[in-house]
Amino acid sequence: MRATSFIHPLLALVLSPLMLGVINRTKAWFAGRCGQPVLQAYYDLSKLLRKGAVYSRTTTWVFRAGPIVGLAAVLEATALVPLGGEPAPLAFTGDLILLAYVLGLMRFFTVAAALDTGSSFEGMGASREVTFSALAEPALLLGLAAVARLTGSLSLSGMYAAMSLETWRQAGPVLALVTAALMVVLLAENARLPVDDPNTHLELTMIHEVMVLDHSGPDLAFILYGAALKLWVLAALLVGLLLPVRTGNAWLDVGAALGGMFAVAVAVGVVESSMARLRLLRVPQLLVGAGALVALALILTLR
Amino acid sequence: MTPDIILILVVLTNLRLLGASRIGASVRTVAVQGILLGLLALLAHHGESSSSVWLVAVGGAVLKGVVFPWLLFRALRSAEVEREVEPFVGPIASLLAGVAALGVSLWLAQRLPLPEGAHSSVLVAVALFSILVGLFLIVARKKAISQVLGFLVMENGIYTFGVGLVRESPLLVELGVMLDVFVAVFVMGIALFHISREFDHIDTHELTTLKD
């Protein structure tokens, strides 16, 4: 393990709330507004951390464990994902499956905490979240499997280290399909448009927001920070495929990848500004479509 | 490399057809597929670009990409068809069936004994996949117009097969096939119009309950 492999987790811990700021600024720019400060997510986090938490008497330890386990799970995911050609601090054969299931654990505890409140309203959000993620997870796993097959490595660090412009030349269509599907997974998993509207607090439309309504204070801060890290992790998977810059200098490579991360944030902002939320019935179609794309990619690599 | 990209785009148009919920979108997708196949015919015979290859490729692209959509849109307008596809099998199940069909056709294409000089096994797989998707669209959609589209997709699959396997099929055969398809779509357009005038819809499902 090299010291440079800790660059990415540290950057993720410090910069992930900034991605939310960039997305919001992009949306504000499209709408012709000034928008909130780029650092707004940091202000929100520090405000929430200084507050106390309120717990309903009907909740149990599951409700209190939800945000903590969720944050711990996504921190582990951050340690698994490499950026800019450097290996991740945690890397072993088959860690891509661990990544999918660590994200699954985070989702499970968010859903369990939402159900623990006994609110029918949160149960609705939980059921939507589970339905959609059951369709998004195969797309993520199959996409990573296609890349693993292409690069001949079963570890995320190995896969992304083997990526280069040469890989794009040899298997461009496969990588393009996987990239498109991963973008859909990123939007769906992070409760972004066109799957979920992060701004709305209207009960009929929301998925992620409705599950965290009863959390307050530090718990809500953990959830917000966990969501930012999750966005960072999935964006890092995308950038590793799209921008395989390999100059040999670790700082330059990571710098290029960082630029890519914020380009992804801008892209998410553009998607959110230019699209309306899909009807709930349409969302599974989009996710199954993404699954079909990666299945095609995987079949192309298997021949 | 380039023929492979076109083949993947053909697969994507097929998947789009399986997931489409609007008839207009389906017709346009079939048009795009026709133009892609014209390009494929040009690229598959790279180097030996005789005038007959150009004639078949460009003629096919114009016929499938411009004339057929125009005919179908005209039939849709005159028959005053609603815009929904009305499937027996929903879009999600159709997409999953499509992925399964893709797997089956790739598996089959690798086991088929191909003659010398044939192109990649992907091309045969895509041809088989188009044929299967066409069949699926004919069986699993209610409206007569979707069945015309399914028929066109099947024909596209057979055309792909021909491009891949035959170095240079006789010009007359290709033109004959194209004329057949043209007449078929023309006749189907007229039949559509008459069905809709007689029964106020083009739902073929209802036709099965007719008695003389």
Side-chain angles (χ1 to χ4, degrees):
Chain A
M1 197 186 298
R2 281 178 287 176
T4 43
S5 55
F6 284 97
I7 298 174
H8 171 233
L10 285 178
L11 283 176
L13 291 179
V14 177
L15 291 181
S16 57
L18 190 61
M19 283 203 45
L20 298 178
V22 172
I23 293 176
N24 278 329
R25 267 330 245 293
T26 313
K27 286 165 73 176
W29 185 79
F30 262 81
R33 292 181 281 118
C34 296
Q36 43 183 248
V38 182
L39 300 179
Q40 184 63 44
Y42 294 95
Y43 302 148
D44 286 348
L45 286 175
S46 70
K47 177 191 76 182
L48 287 169
L49 282 174
R50 276 182 276 122
K51 289 190 170 188
V54 179
Y55 296 106
S56 150
R57 262 178 287 118
T58 57
T59 56
T60 62
W61 63 271
V62 175
F63 182 76
R64 294 175 190 231
I68 298 165
V69 176
L71 186 60
V74 78
L75 282 176
E76 183 168 0
T78 316
L80 284 171
V81 174
L83 189 74
E86 291 297 322
L90 254 182
F92 51 89
T93 307
D95 56 3
L96 53 103
I97 297 172
L98 181 67
L99 174 77
Y101 283 97
V102 159
L103 292 179
L105 181 71
M106 177 191 188
R107 187 181 314 119
F108 175 79
F109 264 86
T110 313
V111 166
L115 290 176
D116 194 44
T117 59
S119 147
S120 57
F121 190 40
E122 300 209 9
M124 189 184 71
S127 108
R128 286 177 182 171
E129 168 88 2
V130 171
T131 312
F132 294 158
S133 55
L135 295 170
E137 204 172 82
L140 176 67
L141 270 178
L142 285 179
L144 290 180
V147 180
R149 169 83 194 178
L150 204 61
T151 53
S153 165
L154 265 176
S155 133
L156 282 170
S157 297
M159 274 158 56
Y160 280 93
M163 288 288 308
S164 62
L165 289 178
E166 190 55 35
T167 335
W168 269 95
R169 216 166 293 135
Q170 279 168 0
V174 173
L175 289 176
L177 289 171
V178 173
T179 312
L182 276 186
M183 187 69 195
V184 174
V185 169
L186 180 141
L187 292 174
E189 286 274 334
N190 291 296
R192 291 274 148 195
L193 281 174
V195 173
D196 184 10
D197 194 340
N199 290 324
T200 181
H201 280 265
L202 182 70
E203 57 266 32
L204 291 178
T205 55
M206 48 190 191
I207 301 168
H208 181 74
E209 286 295 320
V210 74
M211 290 194 301
V212 301
L213 272 180
D214 276 307
H215 291 283
S216 54
D219 286 346
L220 189 56
F222 287 170
I223 285 174
L224 283 181
Y225 191 49
L229 277 175
K230 192 178 181 185
L231 178 64
W232 181 279
V233 165
L234 286 168
L237 289 181
L238 198 60
V239 167
L241 284 184
L242 267 178
L243 270 185
V245 181
R246 301 281 177 269
T247 52
N249 182 339
W251 295 103
L252 267 179
D253 289 355
V254 172
L258 263 187
M261 297 294 280
F262 288 106
V264 168
V266 171
V268 171
V270 171
V271 168
E272 296 213 351
S273 313
S274 54
M275 281 186 81
R277 203 182 59 82
L278 287 175
R279 241 165 49 207
L280 277 178
L281 285 176
R282 288 299 204 147
V283 172
Q285 244 167 291
L286 176 76
L287 293 174
V288 171
L293 290 188
V294 282
L296 173 59
L298 186 62
I299 286 173
L300 283 173
T301 55
L302 283 181
R303 77 187 147 92
Chain B
M1 198 65 238
T2 349
D4 268 7
I5 291 175
I6 291 182
L7 287 172
I8 288 167
L9 288 176
V10 169
V11 171
L12 290 183
T13 53
N14 280 335
L15 290 175
R16 169 97 182 83
L17 273 175
L18 288 173
S21 61
R22 291 298 170 100
I23 285 185
S26 309
V27 174
R28 266 177 234 118
T29 312
V30 173
V32 169
Q33 196 177 58
I35 292 173
L36 284 175
L37 288 182
L39 279 177
L40 182 70
L42 273 187
L43 288 173
H45 297 277
H46 46 110
E48 32 183 313
S49 59
S50 58
S51 59
S52 66
V53 169
W54 276 90
L55 186 66
V56 167
V58 174
V62 168
L63 199 61
K64 287 174 186 161
V66 181
V67 180
F68 286 172
W70 176 74
L71 270 175
L72 289 174
F73 273 122
R74 208 186 58 154
L76 279 178
R77 252 199 319 279
S78 59
E80 287 168 5
V81 179
E82 288 158 31
R83 290 176 298 171
E84 278 80 24
V85 163
E86 286 187 62
F88 284 118
V89 182
I92 295 173
S94 302
L95 268 177
L96 292 178
V99 172
L102 186 61
V104 167
S105 40
L106 264 164
W107 176 80
L108 204 60
Q110 281 171 342
R111 268 150 195 77
L112 277 182
L114 293 179
E116 279 298 309
H119 286 274
S120 61
S121 69
V122 182
L123 196 142
V124 179
V126 171
L128 289 172
F129 178 57
S130 292
I131 295 173
L132 288 176
V133 168
L135 264 177
F136 186 86
L137 286 178
I138 291 176
V139 174
R141 299 287 181 265
K142 273 186 195 171
K143 283 193 171 144
I145 184 101
S146 306
Q147 300 178 354
V148 179
L149 293 177
F151 170 74
L152 275 178
V153 172
M154 253 178 90
E155 202 278 328
N156 281 347
I158 296 165
Y159 183 81
T160 318
F161 211 76
V163 167
L165 288 190
V166 188
R167 252 296 135 79
E168 196 162 342
S169 51
L171 176 66
L172 264 180
V173 175
E174 294 265 8
L175 287 182
V177 169
M178 242 177 246
L179 189 68
D180 275 355
V181 177
F182 179 70
V183 170
V185 172
F186 199 69
V187 169
M188 283 177 188
I190 296 170
L192 263 181
F193 178 63
H194 281 282
I195 295 174
S196 91
R197 203 175 54 181
E198 207 69 22
F199 303 108
D200 295 329
H201 58 74
I202 52 167
D203 220 337
T204 50
H205 180 55
E206 311 268 332
L207 292 182
T208 55
T209 58
L210 289 182
K211 299 210 172 57
D212 55 356

